[in-house]
């Protein structure tokens, strides 16, 4: 591990903040952030530029950038009803379109961030959409309908498919036009597309029926092939051979991603040989604001980073250096190297997709699992939020207690327990 000689401008600004925080041990630990503008009191989701507070530094929220709602037929059967065959009939429809609920690359909706994304979608489009993993292929295919007139029918199940894109918001400091600083929700890393759908409706429609434009029923009517000679000819009661437009869509197989989380994960840890890191000479504690416990690295490889008291026996396990530091739009990106065990903080490859996965230390490498974004309070305060670059999850802890693990949370800890102080040692 080597330290830099001349410290970069970013390093100097970090040390200046840390020096302010470290001016007297008691004062540093008790440092309070200058008051920031109050967060919105209504229940609407935050938008870019909205104000946030220091407690939000360790959280993230999705926001919906674009949506599209399209009526979609998921199950369909052409059905001919003759005189004498009217009344209730159970028709087994054929699967035509598979819609799977997904957020980003995740088909399994488990994290709070994914659920919040879909909840925001529901509020944005004003529809009740699926907020959990499901697929239209799992829906029952039988439709029971009362056919009270003879004719050529399309028996269907359909839904409103909702797709679009989302972004990720993080709380970070921003300089105002008058030179002052404030905390605002700003677009951070992590964006993608989503797919969900409303509750399926079922019914039957004929060519001559007048139906609302843009409705699910109108979409089903387009599958009837009403203008064909076959549709107008006499048929025996029962199923009608499907027209070309009634044939099921071929399920779309997602290509293996060539970039992003899933692709990178396959080689995320790779060779564990330590990378040559460019670290600042300054060391820091990552502490709970106003309290003595701070991040402590483990001595054992299979243990995780925990909240620990700082004592003369800490053996520098509570000291961290920021390495390979870059800054973009006021957000720092760095590897966190531990002075005590020589490892870098990481979310392991095996647990990357798991909410509440424990933060570990491993030999340092060029690996996004070992890279973290650092969101800062206004100048004069040392409070920060920490986000893993690869998973997008925020670091936090379940409760304040000696030995409590530092974990990742997809949306952070909404009670403020993901906000820490970066204190120069």
């Amino acid at each position: 591990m080597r330290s830099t000689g001349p410290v970069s401008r970013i390093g100097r600004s970090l040390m200046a903040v840390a020096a302010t925080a470290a001016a007297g041990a008691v004062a540093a630990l008790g440092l309070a952030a200058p008051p920031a503008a109050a967060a919105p009191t209504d229940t609407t989701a935050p938008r870019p530029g909205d104000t946030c507070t220091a407690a939000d530094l360790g959280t993230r929220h999705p926001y919906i950038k674009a949506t599209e709602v399209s009526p979609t037929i998921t199950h369909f059967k052409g059905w001919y009803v003759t005189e004498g065959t009217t009344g209730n009939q159970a028709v087994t429809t054929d699967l035509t379109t598979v819609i799977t609920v997904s957020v980003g690359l995740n088909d399994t909706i488990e994290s709070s961030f994914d659920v919040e994304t879909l909840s925001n979608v529901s509020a944005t489009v004003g529809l009740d959409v699926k907020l959990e993993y499901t697929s239209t292929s799992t829906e029952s295919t039988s439709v029971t309908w009362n056919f009270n007139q003879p004719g050529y029918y399309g028996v269907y199940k359909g839904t409103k498919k909702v797709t679009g894109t989302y972004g990720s918001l993080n709380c970070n400091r921003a300089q105002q036009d008058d030179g002052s600083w404030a905390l605002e929700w700003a677009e951070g890393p992590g964006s993608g597309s989503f797919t969900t759908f409303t509750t399926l409706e079922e019914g039957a429609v004929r060519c001559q029926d007048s139906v609302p434009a843009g409705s699910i029923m109108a979409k089903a009517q387009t599958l009837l092939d009403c203008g064909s000679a076959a549709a107008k000819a006499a048929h025996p009661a029962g199923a009608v051979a499907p027209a070309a437009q009634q044939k099921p869509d071929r399920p779309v197989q997602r290509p293996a991603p060539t970039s992003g989380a899933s692709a990178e994960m396959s080689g995320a840890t790779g060779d564990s040989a330590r990378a040559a890191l460019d670290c600042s000479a300054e060391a820091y504690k990552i502490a709970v604001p106003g309290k003595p416990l701070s991040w402590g690295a483990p001595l054992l490889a299979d243990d995780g980073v925990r909240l620990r008291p700082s004592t003369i026996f800490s053996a520098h396990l509570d000291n961290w250096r920021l390495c390979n530091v870059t800054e973009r739009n006021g957000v720092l990106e760095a590897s966190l190297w531990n002075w005590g065990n020589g490892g870098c903080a990481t979310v392991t490859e095996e647990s990357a997709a798991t909410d509440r996965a424990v933060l570990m230390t491993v030999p340092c490498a060029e690996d996004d699992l070992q890279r973290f974004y650092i969101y800062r309070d206004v100048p004069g305060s040392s409070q920060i939020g920490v986000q893993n670059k690869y998973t997008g999850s925020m670091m936090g802890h379940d409760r304040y207690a000696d030995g409590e693990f530092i974990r990742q949370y997809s949306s952070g800890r909404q009670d403020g327990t993901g906000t820490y102080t970066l204190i120069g040692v």
Side-chain angles (χ1 to χ4, degrees), residues 79-310:
W79 197 257
Y80 200 79
V81 177
T82 62
E83 293 285 355
T85 64
T86 56
N88 284 322
Q89 296 187 44
V91 179
T92 299
T93 56
D94 297 325
L95 179 66
T96 63
T97 304
V98 177
I99 305 173
T100 299
V101 177
S102 63
V103 176
L105 297 177
N106 297 327
D107 283 342
T108 53
I109 308 302
E110 296 176 346
S111 75
S112 59
F113 184 83
D114 293 342
V115 173
E116 186 180 357
T117 300
L118 296 178
S119 295
N120 289 354
V121 171
S122 179
T124 299
V125 300
L127 297 170
D128 291 330
V129 300
K130 302 292 185 181
L131 304 182
E132 71 285 336
Y133 169 76
T134 187
S135 169
T136 58
S137 63
T138 62
E139 298 286 341
S140 170
T141 63
S142 180
V143 174
T144 299
W145 199 254
N146 182 17
F147 298 95
N148 54 24
Q149 296 182 50
Y152 177 42
Y153 287 85
V155 182
Y156 67 91
K157 285 189 175 185
T159 185
K160 292 180 179 178
K161 180 180 180 181
V162 184
T163 58
T165 57
Y166 65 90
S168 178
L169 293 180
N170 291 87
C171 183
N172 193 48
R173 68 186 187 186
Q175 192 164 25
Q176 308 301 294
D177 293 339
D178 61 1
S180 64
W181 293 82
L183 288 176
E184 294 181 355
W185 290 109
E187 185 166 2
S191 62
S193 59
F194 60 82
T195 299
T196 185
F197 59 93
T198 61
T199 302
L200 266 66
E201 69 174 54
E202 61 184 41
V205 63
R206 299 179 302 166
C207 293
Q208 63 268 38
D209 290 338
S210 178
V211 298
S215 65
I216 296 172
M217 184 180 290
K219 186 72 173 180
Q221 195 177 54
T222 63
L223 299 182
L224 270 176
D225 197 23
C226 293
S228 69
K232 299 174 181 178
H235 290 275
V240 178
Q245 66 264 41
Q246 297 171 18
K247 293 180 180 178
D249 294 342
R250 186 179 299 275
V252 177
Q253 297 294 327
R254 291 192 175 191
T258 56
S259 62
S262 298
E264 293 167 2
M265 189 176 293
S266 62
T269 52
D271 186 0
S272 60
R274 182 170 69 92
L277 297 179
D278 182 10
C279 300
S280 65
E282 185 74 6
Y284 302 91
K285 290 179 183 177
I286 305 174
V288 177
K291 296 182 179 180
L293 299 183
S294 62
W295 290 19
L299 282 173
L300 303 177
D302 59 352
D303 197 6
V305 178
R306 300 173 182 263
L307 290 179
R308 293 295 192 192
S310 295

Side-chain angles (χ1 to χ4, degrees), residues 3 42 57 89 102 105 145 155 179 212 227 255 273 280 282 289 294 313 319 344 353-355 367 381 399 415 417:
S3 300
D42 58 23
L57 289 170
Q89 296 187 44
S102 63
L105 297 177
W145 199 254
V155 182
S280 65
E282 185 74 6
S294 62
F313 304 107
N319 294 167
C344 282
T354 304
D355 224 9
D367 186 345
S381 167
R399 73 184 196 278
D415 60 0
T417 50

